[in-house]
Structures are given as structure tokens and as C-alpha cells.
Amino acid sequence: MTDVNTTADAPRSPGRPRSARADEAIIEATLDLLAEGSTIEALSIEAIAARAGVGKATIYRRWAGKETLLLDALRRLKGVAAQPAGQSVRDDLVLLVGAVGHNVDPRAARIMPCLLPEVNRSPDHFHLYQNIIEPRRKLMRDVLRRGVATGELRADLDIEVAMALLTGPMLIQRLLRWHPELDDRILPEKIVDGVLTGLRAR
């Protein structure tokens, strides 16, 4: 197979930018292999390099190892996090809850459910998963804290429990299709409005 970037494995002069084309091919190869059923344990740098059409050295110049490459690949799969407008706590929460379990990349539907058992079995994979979702969790945490600070939400609000109440139902519906009659288009609003009944300041 021809290397995506024929100069990628040659020594680079200082300051020479790395090939964005090779980066893209490596990330795409990683996601394709996961979508085809490869487990994290079975996934190898050799297999990724062969699928991407690059040498192993090309990958190791960009990532320290498989874990850092996986982190970048799964972040790509998740896409850019929704950004709250910062005006309405309710609207911001609806936006963030609507983004839970939602991925524009169709490979996510095959990859994410298969990762869950591995996350539960391996402390390293659990840490990888936490690194991916923590920035998104922080967005919701900040919205809830803002609601407490403005008096919209209860002063004694348990932020972490509130996040679990908001994200849990959406995640179960998106990952497991728990209830086929629930409408994903309006479910985020229904979840937020239902949970806010107990979170609002009295």
C-alpha cells in the first residue's frame, strides 16, 4: 500500500510542519478499525499504519503511543462540544443534554457501545474515557453553578448528582434505544424541565 505522505518517514528539518493528510489518514484508520469490531486491546499500531498507508514511525512521531492516538481519535468521533450561550440556564441545559450521546459520525453507533465493557474492565481505558468526557461535563457543571450563583437554582444543589439526573436518561436512550416511543427531538427539553422542577430555587 502506498504511503499517504511519501516524505512522512524522512527526517524533518526543524520547524517543518507535519503532514495534515497523514494525521487525517491515521485518525480515520483508527476509527475504521474500531468500527469494524477491533477491541482496544487488539488494536495495534501496526494495523493502524497498514490501514492508513503510513509507516509506524510516522505514527510514533505524532503520538507517544496507542493510548494518546485513541484519545485523539475518540475526541474526533465525539466532535466539537456544544457551547452554551450563557443567557438562560434552561436553554443551556437543553443544548447540553441534547448533545449527550449524539454523534454526527455514523461510526459512533458501532464504536461507543463496544467501548463500554472495556472501560469497565480496564482502569487505563476508564481513564481514557474520563479524559474524553470531562470537558463536556465541565460545561454542564459551569451552567449549573451559574444557576446557583444567580439564584435560579437551589443554593444547596448537589452539582454532580444534578448532572447525573440530566445526562443519564438521554445517554440510556441514545446508547440502548431504551424506549422506542420516546422522541429524541423533544426529549432533551422534557428531561431538563422535569429535573429543573426539583432543582429550581424555592
Side-chain angles (χ1 to χ4, degrees), residues 158-172:
D158 187 319
I159 300 291
E160 303 305 315
V161 171
M163 288 197 298
L165 291 171
L166 288 161
T167 59
M170 198 76 229
L171 194 58
I172 275 188

Side-chain angles (χ1 to χ4, degrees), residues 33-34 37-44 66 118 121:
L33 289 167
L34 289 172
S38 176
T39 64
I40 291 179
E41 288 89 349
L43 189 65
S44 68
K66 188 172 75 172
E118 298 190 45
R121 284 196 302 264

Side-chain angles (χ1 to χ4, degrees), residues 52-155:
V54 302
K56 288 193 296 181
T58 302
I59 296 177
Y60 283 119
R61 275 203 297 273
R62 289 158 167 78
W63 291 276
K66 188 172 75 172
E67 294 300 318
T68 54
L69 171 54
L70 277 170
L71 183 59
D72 281 354
L74 293 174
R75 280 175 175 158
R76 167 78 67 84
L77 187 70
K78 291 292 292 178
V80 178
Q83 296 299 315
Q87 297 177 353
S88 162
V89 168
R90 178 193 179 273
D91 291 349
D92 286 348
L93 290 176
V94 170
L95 175 72
L96 295 175
V97 170
V100 171
H102 175 73
N103 303 281
V104 294
D105 191 320
R107 290 173 295 189
R110 300 192 297 273
I111 293 173
M112 298 310 290
C114 296
L115 289 182
L116 293 180
E118 298 190 45
V119 165
N120 289 328
R121 284 196 302 264
S122 165
D124 288 339
H125 297 160
F126 178 77
H127 181 66
L128 175 70
Y129 173 73
Q130 293 300 320
N131 280 337
I132 293 168
I133 65 169
E134 178 54 30
R136 296 165 190 271
R137 211 159 34 207
K138 183 180 183 302
L139 289 172
M140 184 174 290
R141 191 180 288 120
D142 289 346
V143 171
L144 292 170
R145 285 175 176 163
R146 190 180 80 233
V148 172
T150 60
E152 296 172 74
L153 303 180
R154 296 166 47 174

